[in-house]
Every structure is written in C-alpha cells, then in structure tokens.
Amino acid sequence: MATHEVTNQVPPLTGHDVAADPALLSWVDDADLHELGRLAGSDEWQERGRLVNTYPPVLHTHDRYGNRIDEVEFHPAWHELMNVAVTHGLHAYVDGGHLERAAKFYVWSQVEAGHGCPISMTYAAVPALRVAPELAATYEPLLTSRTYDFGLKAPLGKRGLIAGMSMTEKQGGSDVRGNTTVARPVADGYVLTGHKWFTSAPMSDMFLTLAQAPGGLTCFLVPRVLPDGARNRFYLQRLKDKLGNKSNASAEIEYQEAFAWRIGDEGRGVRTIIEMVNMTRLDCVLGSAAGMRAGLRQAAHHAAHRKAFGNYLIDQPAMRNVLADLAVESEAATTAAMWLAQHRPRLGLAVTKYWVCKRGPAHAAEALECLGGNGYIEDSGMPRLFRESPLMSIWEGSGNVAALDVLRAMQKEPQTVQEFHETVSGVDPRVDKALNELALSDVDESQARRVVERMALILQGALLVKHGHPAVADAFCASRLGGDWGNAFGTLPRNTDFAAIIDRAVPKL
C-alpha cells in the first residue's frame, strides 16, 4: 500500500495577476499595472524572489591581493528584480505621477520586498536633492532614468543612478541630532569623517547623509565614486545580519574624509532630509499594505482548496470570519496607502505610517496561521513574509517616533488638524462619533499611541466609506470604530457580509 500518496494539498498560487486587487483597481487600472501584476504573479519571478533571500548578499572588503574594494556581491536574480523595478519607473520621482507609481510599487513589492529599499530611497531622494538646484539639475535625470546600470563608476558616466540613505549612528539611532560625524569644508565641497551604524543599500551610487558642519547638523550628498573615477573614502565595515529583508544589503560604514556636496544650508540638515523621509514613509505604508495583501491572498487561496472535517476551509464559518477580517484590514491599508500617494497630507501620512505598519506583523501572523503547519515551513513563503513584516514599522522612525511626530505636526501646523477633520467628517455616523470623542487639543505624550491609533482608524474608516466596497466599509466601521469586535482577527460581528468581502480576497486564477 502506498504511504506517500499526496491528497488534499493546495496547488501553487502562480500564474495570476497580482494587480487584480479590487481595492487597488478602484484607484488605478491600466495596462502597465496589469503587465507588472502578471509578472509578479508568475512562478518565474516568485522564484527569483525566493532565490535572493536564500542567497543573501556577501561583502568583499578586499581583493585577493589585499587591495580595498568594498564590493557587495548579489545573486543575479537581485539585479533582474532591480531591472524590472527601474524599467517600470518604480524608483522615478515624477511630479504628478505619484499615484500610478505607488500602485506599481505596491504590486511589485509582493514579489520580493528587499529590493524595494533602494528603489524607494531613489524615489525619495529627488525632493530632498531639489533643495540644491545645481545638484538636482545634474543628477535628477539620472536618478529618474529607466535604465538600471549597476557597478561602481563615476556618476556622470552611468546611464542611471540609485540612491541610498545613511543617517543613523550607534549612539543615537533615531536621535539624529546627536550624530557625531564631522563635515569639514574644502574646495568644491566638504569631507566627512565618522561612523554610520545603519546604511541602507550600500552599493548605491550616492547617499543622502547627515553630518555636523561648522554651522550645525547638515545634509550632504556622498558619491561612492568621485567625478574623476576615483573611489571615495567610503568604507564598508560589515553587513547587518537582519531578521528579515535578507536580500537587501544594509551596512555599517565609515567615512574617512569622504568627499561630499552640501544640500541646503548648514544647520538645516533635518529639515532638508525630512523631504526624503516623508516619501520613504509613504513607501513604508505601501510596503505594509502590500505584505497584507500578499498574506491575505495566500490565506484565501489555501482556504479555497484545503478541506477539513468534510468541507473546504473557506466554507466554514470560523474561517470565513478570519478571512473576512484579514481582508477588511488589508483593504483599509491599501485604500489609505493609495489616498496618501494621491494627496500626501502631512498629518495623514504620519498617522497612517504609525498604524498600518504596526498592523503588519499581526496580520502576517494570522495569515500564516490560516495555512497551519504548512504555513510554518519556508517552502510556503509565509515565514519570509512574517519576517519582513516588522521592518516597515521600524524604518523611518519606529512606533514612538511616528506617534510623537503626529503630536508635533498638530502643534506646529494646526491647519493639519482642520484638514484632518474635513477629510473624515460627515461620511458615516460611526466615524463622526469616534471623531467627536477624540480630544486633540491637549494630548499628553504618554497617550500619543492611543490617540494616533484612534486617528488612523477614523481616517481608514472614512476613506473606506468614500472609496471602498460598502460591505468592507461597514465591517470596518462596525468593528474598529463601533466596538463590535474582539481582540484577535476573526471576531467581526454576526451580520457582516462575509460572502462579498471574501469574494474580493480570493485570487482569480
């Protein structure tokens, strides 16, 4: 008798269009997006995503002769993923095209998240670089070029450039005003000396960084290779061994009188680089929303094909509640992300960055659990998704930083509070009730997370009512704002339209 006959296993989720996402398509629906979606859903590109995480980058500080080279070796699939992202413009900051770019970034991130880091930073570098018009005029065309040109060469000798970010130091982390890297003026620029604790994508062509100039903390542009083709004094000390995001190299680096150009006035480094930070925060929301959609898709696909106790899981009431709840959370995140990409409001971005990115790990854990033991093994792809999920909440300011930033924005820019009220008021009684109960005039820092969480839920509820499916909006408002909800996913109220919500979640193969 055969003991290894395979039955009741779920077929691979390949050969579908990742862009066939109802919450996304209500914002953007064009041929380019679906072309990228079909690539993202193919077995070929999903395999590339697996390979770059199975074989992470390797640092080579010296060549065989002892010469310093500071090169990072990537699996070939990394460059293939980067090439698709660049040729489709996911890295390119184009005035007026943020929504379309966000939709593509959301879709392609579901193939592999790690390479989205340099793509995001290149996109975000342009508005900060524009503070220095001469530098922007020189390098913006290359930072927005749709040609991926990997390798250490003089910047102006390349067909396209990738940008990175190098801000945090070991003594300060998010407290960048405590940075100790020193910038000394020289002819045609500055030279920087110091140690950076976390530099994202160290094989990028140029980096926005912070250093203490004579006039205070200042923003600089540091090239890896100087205009004359010589290597800059920019040395990689080690690559970080991270929980997730394994495909992307992150490094500790040292500047030893590395040449740099100043961006903005001395002493205004934080104000200058915040232009880059705000755009990467948008991509944190997009990345978390993409991870939720990827986890939901796997969970719904599994439940549609797996039987237990005589019925498909997707037909069993307890599982239907879990899937619907995961779908509601996912659609709320996607809707908020697309709205942010279109409008980019100061307060809404900070609020949503805090909450959506916080929800990512819980959502990933529940989606993984829907697959049971099958979801706990690497072959399913769910462990990688789970390991990626905390990053977006940590990157560009972890929970407390993001929540306190909301409080500062309300205090320094009171008009943002009025704009928030105008966005959410009058769309649903449950939203209005929650808004009326929210006291924003005198928020103690100890209550920052509580207030920002509530603001995020109010904003998501209002946006779903305006832009989402009625069944999803009603379930969100009843549970998240109306209080008819438990403490775990799968506790939506009895009168939820489970069929309509789940139908939107199951991938159409």
Side-chain angles (χ1 to χ4, degrees):
M1 178 179 178
T3 60
H4 291 287
E5 182 181 357
V6 177
T7 61
N8 198 29
Q9 288 289 342
V10 176
L13 178 52
T14 59
H16 64 288
D17 180 1
V18 170
D21 173 349
L24 173 67
L25 297 181
S26 65
W27 296 87
V28 179
D29 188 358
D30 59 41
D32 289 343
L33 183 65
H34 287 285
E35 176 190 347
L36 199 61
R38 287 188 290 272
L39 287 179
S42 70
D43 183 66
E44 175 186 2
W45 287 98
Q46 291 290 333
E47 175 63 8
R48 285 181 170 91
R50 184 192 70 82
L51 286 170
V52 296
N53 285 275
T54 303
Y55 304 101
V58 177
L59 171 62
H60 301 290
T61 57
H62 297 77
D63 67 13
R64 59 183 291 194
Y65 305 106
N67 299 306
R68 188 97 199 198
I69 57 172
D70 295 282
E71 294 272 12
V72 178
E73 180 183 6
F74 293 90
H75 189 280
W78 168 270
H79 301 297
E80 294 170 334
L81 288 160
M82 286 288 291
N83 186 60
V84 170
V86 169
T87 56
H88 282 81
L90 276 62
H91 70 304
Y93 187 100
V94 179
D95 292 315
H98 300 291
L99 178 60
E100 291 75 12
R101 179 262 170 191
K104 292 179 180 179
F105 186 85
Y106 169 88
V107 166
W108 192 242
S109 295
Q110 295 178 53
V111 176
E112 199 285 314
H115 77 291
C117 177
I119 293 298
S120 175
M121 290 187 297
T122 305
Y123 165 70
V126 168
L129 194 62
R130 287 178 176 176
V131 177
E134 290 185 6
L135 288 175
T138 301
Y139 293 110
E140 184 174 332
L142 290 168
L143 289 168
T144 56
S145 165
R146 294 199 176 193
T147 300
Y148 176 60
D149 188 0
F150 181 79
L152 294 181
K153 307 172 191 173
L156 295 181
K158 301 189 72 173
R159 295 170 297 159
L161 299 176
I162 297 295
M165 184 188 296
S166 185
M167 296 205 316
T168 61
E169 298 184 4
K170 51 185 177 289
Q171 75 281 353
S174 295
D175 184 12
V176 294
R177 294 188 185 276
N179 283 5
T180 61
T181 296
V182 174
R184 177 171 60 85
V186 296
D188 301 324
Y190 291 72
V191 290
L192 277 52
T193 300
H195 184 103
K196 292 294 182 179
W197 185 244
F198 216 102
T199 295
S200 299
M203 292 310 292
S204 299
D205 298 295
M206 47 185 48
F207 296 82
L208 269 71
T209 193
L210 295 173
Q212 300 287 357
L217 190 66
T218 304
C219 184
F220 295 92
L221 182 66
V222 181
R224 282 295 315 272
V225 179
L226 299 173
D228 63 4
R231 296 284 186 94
N232 206 353
R233 297 176 65 83
F234 177 115
Y235 302 123
L236 308 187
Q237 302 305 304
R238 63 171 175 168
L239 298 186
K240 297 291 194 179
D241 187 5
K242 298 170 291 184
L243 168 68
N245 210 245
K246 295 286 189 179
S247 67
N248 175 44
S250 301
E252 289 179 41
I253 67 166
E254 286 190 2
Y255 301 132
Q256 295 183 11
E257 295 203 331
F259 180 79
W261 296 288
R262 177 167 54 85
I263 303 176
D265 296 333
E266 286 191 4
R268 296 178 67 84
V270 173
R271 182 178 292 272
T272 300
I273 210 165
I274 202 67
E275 295 295 330
M276 184 177 193
V277 170
N278 281 335
M279 300 312 296
T280 48
R281 283 181 174 174
L282 169 61
D283 281 1
C284 288
V285 177
L286 287 165
S288 289
M292 288 186 196
R293 179 64 188 182
L296 170 66
R297 187 171 57 249
Q298 291 287 350
H301 176 73
H302 180 88
H305 292 86
R306 178 82 163 180
K307 284 187 174 181
F309 310 108
N311 292 306
Y312 286 105
L313 290 173
I314 202 167
D315 295 326
Q316 301 196 27
M319 180 58 80
R320 289 175 68 77
N321 201 315
V322 171
L323 292 174
D325 215 350
L326 290 172
V328 166
E329 192 77 28
S330 172
E331 293 208 24
T334 300
T335 300
M338 293 301 123
W339 180 79
L340 289 172
Q342 186 174 61
H343 298 282
R344 289 175 291 152
R346 169 70 175 90
L347 191 59
L349 180 58
V351 164
T352 310
K353 196 280 179 186
Y354 168 79
W355 181 242
V356 169
C357 297
K358 276 279 177 220
R359 294 300 287 162
H363 192 279
E366 193 68 58
L368 183 155
E369 189 174 327
C370 288
L371 277 68
N374 286 332
Y376 201 68
I377 60 171
E378 287 292 335
D379 288 350
S380 71
M382 299 302 283
R384 171 157 61 96
L385 186 70
F386 181 70
R387 288 192 298 268
E388 290 287 346
S389 62
L391 174 62
M392 297 298 102
S393 190
I394 295 170
W395 192 21
E396 301 303 9
S398 53
N400 286 347
V401 173
L404 293 173
D405 185 47
V406 174
L407 268 58
R408 283 193 295 272
M410 292 193 295
Q411 292 164 359
K412 293 183 178 181
E413 304 172 57
Q415 77 278 6
T416 62
V417 178
Q418 180 62 31
E419 292 167 358
F420 180 83
H421 276 263
E422 291 173 356
T423 298
V424 302
S425 297
V427 299
D428 186 278
R430 293 162 296 191
V431 174
D432 288 340
K433 183 175 184 295
L435 182 63
N436 291 334
E437 293 171 350
L438 186 65
L440 297 178
S441 57
D442 184 25
V443 181
D444 183 271
E445 285 191 3
S446 69
Q447 299 301 300
R449 286 187 175 217
R450 183 173 184 148
V451 170
V452 174
E453 173 184 320
R454 201 63 180 164
M455 291 176 71
L457 292 172
I458 290 169
L459 179 60
Q460 285 184 311
L463 293 176
L464 282 173
V465 172
K466 290 181 178 181
H467 305 287
H469 189 278
V472 176
D474 183 66
F476 185 95
C477 291
S479 57
R480 277 71 168 169
L481 298 178
D484 195 355
W485 200 33
N487 292 318
F489 286 106
T491 53
L492 291 173
R494 186 189 301 269
N495 62 351
T496 298
D497 189 347
F498 295 106
I501 296 172
I502 292 172
D503 181 66
R504 292 165 62 82
V506 178
K508 308 301 189 286
L509 302 179

